[in-house]
Amino acid sequence: MSAAPTAVPAASPSSTVSRVLLAAFGLAAAVDLVSLLAGAELGHQLAKPLLMPLLAAYAVTRGAPKLLVAALLFGWGGDVFLLSDADWAFLVGMGSFAGGHVCYLVLFGRRRTSPLLGAAYAAALVGTVALLWPDLPADLRIPVAGYSLLLAATAYRASALGRVAGVGGALFLLSDTLIATGVAEWPQLPAPDFWVMLTYIAAQYLLTAGVLSAMYGERRTTV
């Protein structure tokens, strides 16, 4: 007599919602990146503001800590303001991103990290700011230096949560360094905004996945 077939548990409503939100985030990311490559400014203007709300909503359905959601929403504020070319919007956007980095740093806590990695990030921070300083507009030098310190701290502390979050932090640092070189009017890669957004989107997703994995285990990071 054959054994009865094992029932396959149905996906929970929250799991289904998570899948839909993550897919929507992926779709918005694809639209944004393709728009940047194609020079379709309208697509970028429409897709970019959707990215962080969708990722934050996905994180909520996976039981994300409030500080992670706040960090992503601060990122959304930065994304929206940086759609403008105005100097004041750049400063406000940078301030919003800074708020997100403070949330990340509080969330990461005092977990142990590698002193050698910290020294490497410190050297990268000092060297990059020193090189950029003469070419930055005078009114942006101090804000950029202060923000860079927060950014490097986030990248370093993210490594305490594991490789995934650590790579996310490093990509965030790379993304904003690319922005800074543009502000300093250094030579740029072809389609510079594409590379900025590619590294930024990957950074925020990997930080989210890394935080969820570290806080709750693998079951919260997959759907």
Side-chain angles (χ1 to χ4, degrees):
M1 183 175 181
S2 60
T6 303
V8 178
S12 67
S14 63
S15 176
T16 301
V17 172
S18 293
R19 289 177 183 274
V20 171
L21 288 169
L22 189 58
F25 168 73
L27 177 60
V31 170
D32 188 53
L33 294 173
V34 170
S35 297
L36 289 171
L37 284 176
E41 183 62 21
L42 179 59
H44 174 59
Q45 294 277 337
L46 292 175
K48 185 180 180 183
L50 298 177
L51 292 168
M52 290 307 106
L54 288 170
L55 186 57
Y58 162 76
V60 169
T61 66
R62 308 312 297 168
K66 292 180 180 178
L67 280 170
L68 173 59
V69 178
L72 294 172
L73 293 180
F74 272 119
W76 170 70
D79 290 344
V80 171
F81 281 107
L82 263 60
L83 285 171
S84 170
D85 292 329
D87 288 345
W88 69 267
F90 179 82
L91 287 171
V92 173
M94 186 165 56
S96 188
F97 278 121
H101 289 302
V102 170
C103 291
Y104 276 130
L105 287 171
V106 175
L107 180 60
F108 297 157
R110 297 183 178 181
R111 292 173 176 81
R112 294 182 62 182
T113 48
S114 166
L116 289 177
L117 183 62
Y121 272 124
L125 170 66
V126 172
T128 301
V129 171
L131 290 171
L132 287 169
W133 188 271
D135 298 322
L136 290 170
D139 59 335
L140 292 181
R141 288 172 179 168
I142 298 300
V144 167
Y147 175 74
S148 297
L149 177 60
L150 269 179
L151 182 60
T154 297
Y156 170 53
R157 295 297 303 150
S159 65
L161 272 67
R163 184 176 299 176
V164 171
V167 172
L171 287 175
F172 213 139
L173 179 62
L174 174 59
S175 179
D176 281 5
T177 300
L178 292 174
I179 294 176
T181 61
V183 173
E185 298 184 351
W186 284 15
Q188 298 291 294
L189 294 169
D193 290 342
F194 169 83
W195 298 107
V196 167
M197 288 305 300
L198 178 64
T199 50
Y200 169 69
I201 292 168
Q204 291 282 40
Y205 173 74
L206 291 174
L207 283 169
T208 298
V211 168
L212 292 176
S213 180
M215 297 293 178
Y216 301 119
E218 185 65 23
R219 66 186 178 85
R220 293 295 186 97
T221 66
T222 58
V223 294

